Amino acid sequence: MLEAVADPVRLRIIRRLSDGRTASLADLADAAGVHVNTVRPRVAELEDAAVIERVTGAPSGRGRPSIGYRLAAGWSVPTSDFRGLAQLLAALALRAQARGRDLRAVGAEWGRSLQGRPGGHDIQADLPQALERLGFDARVEGSTLRLESCPCRLVLPDHPELVCELAAAVTQGVLDGSGSGLTVAEREHDVERRSCTITLVGGRRPGARGTRPRNRRR
């Protein structure tokens, strides 16, 4: 499951098929926001992993019968609570002794995939929605992102910093995907209170036009 959802395009394919309907290759490419030639090998990978299966339509007239795809029986992906995904990613990094930059790269790529194409995004709404999928209660206040009910200690009691690192990486990915020009700067993590603050710098303040965000220190 982790390998299937770790790639943004494969994750979008799975989400498109999660409603139980069959979709063509063109449908899946449209849902993933990529060209058909890009989605084709991802579909093949998911077929090989028995995550999705091919469905051949009934012949009608001349030409080859239509080909569609659907999720394999018994396979599903989380849709609202991604705390399990946070746990899997963090545990994988810990088990493989991955470096911090590796975890940041995975989180940032996932965050960017949530945004789709750059431009026209509302960071004040997008950031909380993205982090909610990792189990955080988040809100944007000026140039500060506040995280409450952090699952870090619940997910990995011995290494909560890994989940916090993942949250910061996803935040950066969402910022990059939106084209906001903002960057994750200072971070403060209170393990006992299960809360974090992340300062966003550069570009425009979320929700404002023509203004620069100010660093806020506690």
Side-chain angles (χ1 to χ4, degrees):
M1 176 178 177
L2 176 62
E3 292 180 356
V5 302
D7 176 79
V9 175
R10 289 198 298 263
L11 178 58
R12 292 178 195 172
I13 292 171
I14 294 169
R15 286 179 180 163
R16 170 62 178 80
L17 298 174
S18 62
D19 60 4
R21 293 182 298 164
T22 300
S24 67
L25 199 64
D27 292 334
L28 297 177
D30 184 62
V34 297
H35 192 273
V36 171
N37 291 338
T38 301
V39 85
R40 196 186 307 274
R42 304 299 200 286
V43 168
E45 292 165 358
L46 291 172
E47 274 194 280
D48 292 341
V51 174
I52 67 175
E53 55 190 17
R54 186 177 303 196
V55 180
T56 303
S60 59
R62 296 181 178 181
R64 298 179 180 178
S66 62
I67 301 295
Y69 299 89
R70 66 187 177 195
L71 278 184
W75 214 100
S76 62
V77 65
T79 56
S80 58
D81 184 0
F82 271 66
R83 190 171 301 181
L85 178 58
Q87 184 175 14
L88 284 170
L89 288 172
L92 178 67
L94 181 63
R95 185 173 182 179
Q97 296 183 341
R99 297 178 181 179
R101 67 168 179 252
D102 298 324
L103 187 61
R104 288 193 293 272
V106 171
E109 183 177 6
W110 189 70
R112 284 192 298 272
S113 74
L114 295 178
Q115 291 297 87
R117 296 178 180 178
H121 296 284
D122 181 357
I123 294 301
Q124 283 190 306
D126 293 349
L127 276 177
Q129 289 176 3
L131 291 165
E132 180 180 321
R133 297 183 179 187
L134 292 174
F136 292 87
D137 179 10
R139 65 184 184 278
V140 179
E141 297 178 352
S143 57
T144 300
L145 173 64
R146 299 192 183 280
L147 308 178
E148 304 291 342
S149 302
C150 299
C152 306
R153 196 171 183 180
L154 302 177
V155 170
L156 283 181
D158 296 331
H159 296 276
E161 71 281 357
L162 285 178
V163 184
C164 186
E165 188 75 20
L166 179 62
V170 169
T171 298
Q172 188 61 63
V174 171
L175 295 174
D176 292 343
S178 70
S180 68
L182 293 167
T183 301
V184 169
E186 297 178 358
R187 288 182 286 150
E188 295 184 18
H189 185 203
D190 190 327
V191 177
E192 297 301 323
R193 298 180 60 183
R194 296 177 56 200
S195 65
C196 304
T197 59
I198 298 175
T199 302
L200 310 178
V201 300
R204 295 178 177 176
R205 183 182 303 171
R209 294 185 178 182
T211 57
R212 302 283 293 185
R214 293 177 293 178
N215 290 338
R216 297 175 64 181
R217 301 172 183 266
R218 292 200 295 178

